Amino acid sequence: IPAAGQAIPDGSGGVIIAYTDDDMNMSALKIDSEGNLPWGADGVSLNMGDSYLSDIASDNSGGVIVVRYGAGNIAAQRLDSRGNVLWQMGGVEVYGGPAGEDRLVSDGSGGAIIAFERDIPNADGIGYSDSDIYAQRIDAEGSVLWGLDGVAVRIKPSLPTSPSIVSDGTGGAIIFLGHEASIYAQRI
């Protein structure tokens, strides 16, 4: 039974649902336009360890890209239209440190751009004082393209968290952040 899930159209009249169950296992389930379950009744396990589903996006080929956080990092995984796991076991690491909310959007070429909160530890090493917003791009083969930690989108103390992201229609993205009475946007 799914504890949390998200859905996207599969591009052929069906839907792909990604979910985390009560045991923190992530899976994806496809329902085609006639109500069939081509990936099986329980879907396909993403083998991403104990983690929480963050967001999903189409790979523009009938498959899905899933991003998750947990185990001290953010990782992404891609399934093709047949439900085959395409990237490495456990997913491709997007960021290897403490992080908060993350969102992704298709890059239009089988990959994705992920926007995420990168937590800043307190001076005493206990807890986190703030978050900066970073972005990372992964290509269709699962290669990380924007350096080990991604690129800074917005770095400033006491700024917003929980980024939103949309495609710019040309292979990039626009990231939005809200804070108090202001809205910030950055195109990458």
Side-chain angles (χ1 to χ4, degrees), residues 64-155:
V64 65
I65 301 169
V66 178
V67 68
R68 66 95 174 135
Y69 66 96
N73 69 359
I74 298 171
Q77 185 59 270
R78 181 179 176 204
L79 297 175
D80 68 13
S81 62
R82 293 186 183 120
N84 298 310
V85 175
L86 298 180
W87 295 342
Q88 67 193 26
M89 179 70 92
V92 174
E93 187 172 86
V94 173
Y95 174 63
E101 294 291 320
D102 49 86
R103 298 289 178 253
L104 83 153
V105 67
S106 171
D107 68 0
S109 300
I113 299 172
I114 299 107
F116 60 94
E117 294 176 33
R118 185 171 160 179
D119 292 339
I120 302 168
N122 286 322
D124 62 7
I126 301 172
Y128 302 97
S129 60
D130 208 345
S131 296
D132 294 331
I133 306 300
Y134 276 69
Q136 182 59 269
R137 184 172 183 179
I138 300 175
D139 69 15
E141 288 75 40
S143 298
V144 173
L145 301 177
W146 291 346
L148 185 61
D149 293 332
V151 295
V153 173
R154 183 81 172 163
I155 300 174

